[in-house]
Amino acid sequence: MAVSSEFLDGLTPSAIRDITASIREKKSRGIDVVNFAGGMPDAAYFPVKELKQITDEIIEEDSGDLFQYAATDGYLPLREALSDLMKRYQVAANPAEILITSGSAQALNYLSRALICPGDTVLIEEPVYVGAVDTLKSYGPKLVGIPMEEDGMDLEELEKALRKGRASFIYTVPDFQNPSGSTMSVEKRERLVRLAEKYDTYIIEDSPYSLLSFSGGVCPAVKSFDREGRVVYLGSVSKTICPGLRVGWICADQESVRKLIYLKQRDDLQVNNLAQRQVHRYLTGGSFDAHLQEVCGVYKQRMESMLEAVRAYFPKDAVYIPPRGGIFLWLELGGGIDARKLFPYILNRRIAFVPGSFFYANGGGKSTMRLNFCTNEEAVIREKIREMGLAIQAWQAERK
């Protein structure tokens, strides 16, 4: 007999992981697919050599504590290093205001579990990161989507929603948003915090892409405008170092961190000791900034190659905003195209993307798509986006 409960039976698979499974299934049959669908960084730029050296040093010097139980809040030198990192976002945080988590996904799950009761309202960007929707929905709230503008969430629409009743929290990815690629203006960041104060709610600021800036500039975090402890910042090294380490963090006031520690003690006790030490030594060893500069330079070139091919070969009524960082390009195809119906047609040509409707919690985004521009080399991007654009035009012509 399978385990069963209302909560467990209500869970659904990740849409993007389903797409990834389709790609793996084709690969198992010897069919290679050019993947513009996933949310991963380029593995070719993982600092494997440095991490191997760091790992050997850690095991040689620190093996006693390395293999023992450790503090739930995380490795103190890593929390100190992350306190220094938060200064780049103009956030002053001491190590006691940081909790290490198994990626920012675990952090969002903790906060959802802590703050949502079934039937509560949560305000989200729309489109929104599909992984956040999956996490939030599992706790039974009403998800209210706030439209996105070129400079972030539409705060006029947000305030209208806030006036209708208290929200458990507002969820935002302010830097190079997943999936839209948009970046919230500094003015909107400050106003967002003032709205949270006015309407007595919290903000969860999810920022895995903040350092992947093509200009080198880093925006002040939404949390930098926080005066009352209403903003909880979620960080991660998944996009800047590598996702397999599963190291993220929560930055909040000390009392909130204390309560979340109690929650983590009931979950997995602590994050992997080795991974925490690997991240600490890499952040403080002098290679991190050079690594970021290299990765951002490569991703920028790949983004420009993708935009050039989109302009040349996609339908002329396609709408997009060139991202200033991150890893995603968001496209609205227009012309009545249903991207979900288009998906198998393109996948049969060994190219994968994510239909944009997956990023709408309450329906919408029928003609939109998300493309990851960072995981393929420029020549591959130019050729496969050309093929994809021509295939979309052929698909449209067949249906006229």
Side-chain angles (χ1 to χ4, degrees), residues 165-359:
R166 188 178 184 277
S168 296
F169 55 83
I170 303 161
Y171 174 80
T172 181
V173 181
D175 296 304
F176 320 125
Q177 194 244 17
N178 179 4
S180 72
S182 70
T183 297
M184 187 180 291
S185 66
V186 174
E187 293 75 18
K188 279 192 172 182
R189 291 168 193 247
E190 182 170 13
R191 188 180 168 207
L192 177 60
V193 177
R194 302 292 88 86
L195 287 172
E197 293 171 354
K198 180 178 178 180
Y199 292 97
D200 186 27
T201 190
Y202 300 100
I203 299 166
I204 296 181
E205 177 182 11
D206 196 356
S207 295
Y209 310 101
S210 301
L211 294 178
L212 296 180
S213 169
F214 298 155
S215 69
V218 178
C219 287
V222 174
K223 186 160 182 62
S224 70
F225 299 102
D226 188 15
R227 303 179 298 199
E228 300 178 356
R230 293 187 178 274
V231 183
V232 181
Y233 181 98
L234 311 186
S236 172
V237 303
S238 290
K239 304 303 189 289
T240 55
I241 302 178
C242 51
L245 293 172
R246 306 310 304 136
V247 173
W249 68 96
I250 293 171
C251 179
D253 63 276
Q254 192 167 341
E255 178 64 12
S256 296
V257 167
R258 181 183 65 81
K259 293 178 181 180
L260 291 166
I261 287 171
Y262 298 159
L263 182 56
K264 188 167 180 60
Q265 287 172 348
R266 287 153 177 80
D267 187 9
D268 64 353
L269 297 180
Q270 65 179 81
V271 173
N272 179 281
N273 279 335
L274 176 58
Q276 291 189 69
R277 284 162 170 77
Q278 288 169 323
V279 172
H280 163 250
R281 294 209 184 193
Y282 191 68
L283 288 177
T284 58
S287 299
F288 181 59
D289 285 334
H291 168 71
L292 272 181
Q293 186 175 4
E294 179 185 23
V295 167
C296 289
V298 170
Y299 290 179
K300 181 180 180 182
Q301 290 175 347
R302 292 178 178 181
M303 181 272 293
E304 290 172 346
S305 293
M306 181 173 281
L307 283 178
E308 182 181 344
V310 165
R311 283 193 291 265
Y313 299 107
F314 269 54
K316 297 306 178 186
D317 55 351
V319 176
Y320 55 88
I321 299 170
R324 306 197 322 251
I327 65 176
F328 299 120
L329 177 65
W330 179 252
L331 287 148
E332 185 164 347
L333 296 172
I337 292 175
D338 186 331
R340 284 207 195 192
K341 293 180 180 178
L342 174 67
F343 175 78
Y345 184 85
I346 299 298
L347 187 61
N348 283 337
R349 284 149 182 79
R350 306 185 183 188
I351 303 170
F353 67 93
V354 183
S357 57
F358 289 128
F359 301 97

